[in-house]
Amino acid sequence: MASLIGVSSSPFPTHTSHLVPSRSNSISSLIQLKRYSVRRLLLLRVNCSSRQVEDAETESESKVVLPDTSVDTGISAYNWCAALGGIGFLETSYLTYLKLTNSEAFCPVGDGGSCGNILNSSYSAVFGVPLPLIGMVAYGVVAVLGIQLGQKSRPLGIGEANGRLVLLGTTTSMAAASAYFLYILSTKFTGEFCPYCLASVLLSFGLFVSSIKGLGSEEVQKDVGILLLTVLLVVSTLNNSYSVSQPSSTSSAMDEMEYFKTEITTESTPFAISLAKHLRSIGAKMYGAFWCSHCQEQKQMFGRDAAELLDYVECFPDGFKKGTSMVKACQEAKLEGFPTWVINGEVVSGEKQLSELAILSGFNMKEELTEAPTQALTEAK
């Protein structure tokens, strides 16, 4: 039995000893492989997630931080344009109303004469268009562009880039014109003060600076040539306008002249006296200027006594200075030269013979001459 057990039992331990170790080894290797794979997957996930987080942070910084700074700068500059443009629009609207209604401006500084002399001078219009009306349109355009550009909308139906360029061109024109008028004030109206004019100059310069800030210095440098051309065009237009509007008598010899009265040396005839009385009775007026030689010749035709009876309107009672406008009555008459007669609503320019004035006024020479001696006798009795 012992031998049988020993013989029969010897194969099992030997077989068992070979099988068990091989199965355990394979299981352990599988477990290690699985653990390694899990570790690799975890590392890959961590790396991917960290890269995604870094990319997201980078994108968020580029999208949030950079646009905020540029948007704040643009909105601030264009809001200034809208505000200053609105103030300028109100000021020029008031001055336009005064110009169209021939009203006197309220001058908060001084006696008020300086404001009227400047605002009613020949420099207050460009080719016949009132300067405040031009300013009102310009300030209105700037205010609208400033509001729409500040809201990032399409200004006046054009693109944002074109809107900024139009705004810069408009404010450049206004600044150039203001600098030109500032020169006129300092050279032609010395000693006089106009707060409305100075306020407009400050507003124009402020709008010019604000539009440059909104567009950016780099963009402005690209358009320097266009801006210089705009300045030259504005100055040239103003020079041509004022060279045409200034009358020929306002040459260098008449830049400034104090008022004087010319003595009439001729004697008045009865006919001249009767005609002068008739002209005055029907409301006829003679408009002239103290320096006008034709006006003096017209008075000499009437003679000393008859000329005193005429309803004569002096258009420059305070003297003449280049750029000074006529008095309100002469402006309303829309004179084309001196002398000018207004007889029965008809405007007649130039020096006229007494016989012509008698016909124009309906003067009956025979009746007037026969009635004159009768009136004289009646007064003597």
Side-chain angles (χ1 to χ4, degrees), residues 222-233:
K222 297 178 182 179
D223 301 322
V224 169
I226 298 177
L227 299 181
L228 292 177
L229 183 62
T230 301
V231 172
L232 292 176
L233 181 63

Side-chain angles (χ1 to χ4, degrees), residues 8-309:
S8 61
S9 61
S10 59
F12 293 102
T14 304
H15 180 71
T16 304
S17 63
H18 287 289
L19 289 175
V20 172
S22 62
R23 183 177 297 177
S24 62
N25 290 336
S26 61
I27 293 172
S28 63
S29 61
L30 290 173
I31 293 173
Q32 292 177 357
L33 180 62
K34 185 176 181 180
R35 290 177 178 175
Y36 177 76
S37 300
V38 171
R39 290 178 181 177
R40 290 293 302 274
L41 288 173
L42 291 174
L43 289 174
L44 288 174
R45 290 180 180 177
V46 170
N47 290 335
C48 289
S49 63
S50 63
R51 288 179 182 176
Q52 291 176 353
V53 170
E54 291 176 356
D55 294 340
E57 291 176 353
T58 304
E59 291 178 359
S60 63
E61 290 176 357
S62 62
K63 290 181 180 180
V64 174
V65 175
L66 294 178
D68 283 345
T69 56
S70 62
V71 169
D72 290 341
T73 303
I75 290 177
S76 175
Y78 294 129
N79 281 342
W80 273 109
C81 288
L84 295 177
I87 296 173
F89 180 80
L90 294 177
E91 180 203 11
T92 50
S93 297
Y94 169 68
L95 296 179
T96 301
Y97 168 77
L98 296 179
K99 189 72 175 177
L100 297 179
T101 58
N102 290 323
S103 303
E104 293 295 332
F106 169 73
C107 193
V109 180
D111 57 358
S114 296
C115 292
N117 292 339
I118 296 174
L119 295 176
N120 295 322
S121 69
S122 58
Y123 292 101
S124 62
V126 179
F127 290 113
V129 181
L131 189 61
L133 180 61
I134 299 175
M136 184 178 69
V137 174
Y139 281 118
V141 170
V142 169
V144 171
L145 286 173
I147 293 173
Q148 294 187 341
L149 287 172
Q151 296 175 350
K152 295 296 181 180
S153 59
R154 292 175 64 86
L156 301 178
I158 60 179
E160 182 177 351
N162 293 331
R164 292 181 178 181
L165 188 60
V166 171
L167 178 62
L168 181 60
T170 304
T171 56
T172 301
S173 301
M174 296 169 68
S178 295
Y180 182 90
F181 292 124
L182 193 61
Y183 167 77
I184 295 296
L185 286 174
S186 61
T187 56
K188 306 298 182 183
F189 297 94
T190 54
E192 299 187 9
F193 183 73
C194 177
Y196 299 105
C197 307
L198 296 180
S200 183
V201 169
L202 294 176
L203 288 172
S204 298
F205 287 161
L207 287 170
F208 177 64
V209 173
S210 298
S211 61
I212 289 179
K213 182 181 177 182
L215 188 61
S217 58
E218 294 181 0
E219 293 295 329
V220 173
Q221 291 176 1
K222 297 178 182 179
D223 301 322
V224 169
I226 298 177
L227 299 181
L228 292 177
L229 183 62
T230 301
V231 172
L232 292 176
L233 181 63
V234 170
V235 174
S236 176
T237 301
L238 294 175
N239 276 330
N240 291 334
S241 172
Y242 296 135
S243 63
V244 171
S245 63
Q246 296 296 327
S248 58
S249 58
T250 60
S251 58
S252 58
M254 275 196 62
D255 284 344
E256 187 172 355
M257 183 179 295
E258 294 183 1
Y259 176 79
F260 61 88
K261 190 173 182 179
T262 303
E263 183 181 0
I264 301 173
T265 58
T266 58
E267 296 292 335
S268 298
T269 64
F271 170 71
I273 294 175
S274 298
L275 177 60
K277 290 180 179 179
H278 171 73
L279 290 172
R280 189 177 188 92
S281 66
I282 65 174
K285 294 180 182 295
M286 174 187 171
Y287 297 87
F290 67 94
W291 42 262
C292 170
S293 59
H294 293 287
C295 300
Q296 303 306 322
E297 292 174 3
Q298 183 74 84
K299 291 180 181 180
Q300 293 285 359
M301 289 183 186
F302 279 91
R304 182 170 49 254
D305 296 332
E308 293 293 332
L309 299 174

